Amino acid sequence: MFARLFYENPIEDEINRLTDEGVPNHELEIASALNFADRVRSKEFSAKDVARVLSKRLEHHNPVVQMLTLSLADICIKNGGSLIQLEISKREFIDQIVGLLESKTGRYYELTQLVLKLIQEWAHLFKNNTEMGYPCGVYERLKRSGYSFPKLDVVSSGAMIETASPPEWEDSPVCQRCRTQFTFTNRKHHCRHCGKCFCNDCSSNTTAIPKFGLYDPVRVCHGCYLRLKKIVSEPDNASLSIGQSGFGTQSGAYRSNSVSASRPAATVPDVSAEDEDLKRAIELSIQ
């Protein structure tokens, strides 16, 4: 007990908890996994240390633990930022994953299918990135060796490939919409679509973001919620600044350049009362 107090590793503890063989239904808890990826993205957890612990966890003899670890690695790649992408796409990590196909647990059909699925998705994700291109070569080699890959979801994978990963998070001492200062009780929250930070009131909506590989509802700010629901149109490069609108513009990689800032907000029929309230709030904020 005394030694544990001095040698406790929060990264290892959290990964072991998320990938424990006793988790309900042997399924990764998405909300907790996304929170873990958030801590990697914010650099609270070192990407190198996370990759090292994930690699160690893949050595477990139980295929369920290995599958949970692979799923957590996938969420980190899609939501944890470029540093963890760089670590997981390295030769050592990818070769270890491929090695599972020839291991004793590799005879476990679901594990084999998950390995092939992730190698295929990551190869497509990094196909235009020379620094992270090792999975591409492995994918081609496995195809030549006769491995049969699962059918790639063209729609979701295409969106994931186009955007690569969510935007890097910004930091601010105040909410970037209502300008309320963050305190111990008024916590900051990051919108998973634009990366800016908001108070709870200004980021209380949740929705899926398929283009980032997020198919379960996640926290978004009011502005992004309206745009993702297509209640208002996307802003262009001439959009208002944070100080004017209460929520900043997005980077060009996630913005449609075909929409003019002067163009009236698009509307959709039969929107809910909540959506109508949000729409009115946005319209008032940009006047």
Side-chain angles (χ1 to χ4, degrees):
M1 178 67 181
F2 181 77
R4 180 172 174 77
L5 292 175
F6 282 93
Y7 296 104
E8 184 174 350
N9 185 332
I11 295 177
E12 188 168 5
D13 289 345
E14 186 66 8
I15 289 178
N16 288 347
R17 183 185 71 82
L18 288 170
T19 61
D20 186 83
E21 57 191 299
V23 299
N25 301 319
H26 293 165
E27 293 181 357
L28 191 67
E29 185 184 351
I30 299 301
S32 296
L34 285 171
N35 182 63
F36 180 82
D38 291 345
R39 299 171 80 175
V40 178
R41 174 182 287 276
S42 66
K43 299 181 177 63
E44 177 184 348
F45 287 165
S46 162
K48 285 184 178 294
D49 290 341
V50 169
R52 177 181 55 78
V53 177
L54 287 173
S55 176
K56 178 181 177 182
R57 195 63 170 161
L58 285 174
E59 297 173 356
H60 200 281
H61 65 276
N62 190 326
V64 172
V65 173
Q66 293 173 330
M67 290 178 63
L68 289 169
T69 303
L70 289 173
S71 298
L72 180 58
D74 186 47
I75 283 185
C76 286
I77 273 199
K78 294 174 180 174
N79 301 278
S82 58
L83 293 180
I84 191 64
Q85 289 179 347
L86 182 61
E87 293 300 323
I88 292 180
S89 64
K90 286 182 176 179
R91 175 189 294 268
E92 296 81 8
F93 198 94
I94 298 298
D95 284 352
Q96 182 181 13
I97 293 176
V98 174
L100 295 176
L101 297 173
E102 306 296 333
S103 67
K104 292 182 179 179
T105 55
R107 291 176 295 191
Y108 195 70
Y109 177 77
E110 292 183 7
L111 174 61
T112 299
Q113 291 303 296
L114 180 58
V115 169
L116 295 174
K117 174 180 177 289
L118 294 183
I119 292 296
Q120 179 178 235
E121 287 187 357
W122 296 351
H124 281 79
L125 178 63
F126 299 130
K127 66 180 181 180
N128 295 321
N129 190 322
T130 56
E131 192 175 14
M132 306 178 191
Y134 186 71
C136 303
V138 171
Y139 173 57
E140 295 299 330
R141 174 165 56 83
L142 291 175
K143 283 199 300 183
R144 291 193 299 269
S145 299
Y147 281 97
S148 178
F149 285 84
K151 183 178 180 180
L152 186 66
D153 187 337
V154 178
V155 176
S156 62
S157 297
M160 177 185 70
I161 294 161
E162 181 182 354
T163 57
S165 64
E168 293 295 330
W169 281 5
E170 297 184 13
D171 195 17
S172 172
V174 298
C175 172
Q176 292 181 277
R177 182 172 185 266
C178 70
R179 315 303 294 172
T180 302
Q181 187 170 9
F182 295 123
T183 63
F184 179 76
T185 55
N186 183 37
R187 295 178 54 203
K188 69 174 63 175
H189 302 275
H190 282 87
C191 170
R192 297 187 184 281
H193 185 251
C194 67
K196 300 183 185 301
C197 54
F198 303 89
C199 66
N200 182 67
D201 290 342
C202 293
S203 60
S204 58
N205 292 285
T206 60
T207 186
I209 313 177
K211 67 180 181 179
F212 292 160
L214 300 174
Y215 299 100
D216 293 314
V218 293
R219 181 185 292 269
V220 293
C221 67
H222 290 346
C224 287
Y225 178 80
L226 291 171
R227 289 191 285 274
L228 289 167
K229 293 293 186 181
K230 301 190 184 303
I231 299 170
V232 298
S233 54
E234 291 278 357
D236 68 359
N237 291 337
S239 298
L240 297 171
S241 65
I242 294 174
Q244 294 171 312
S245 66
F247 55 92
T249 61
Q250 291 173 259
S251 62
Y254 308 100
R255 184 192 305 118
S256 171
N257 293 323
S258 62
V259 182
S260 169
S262 61
R263 181 178 174 179
T267 58
V268 294
D270 301 324
V271 295
S272 67
E274 181 184 12
D275 288 347
E276 287 287 4
D277 291 341
L278 288 171
K279 179 184 174 182
R280 284 196 294 271
I282 293 295
E283 290 173 344
L284 288 173
S285 71
I286 62 177
Q287 288 179 355

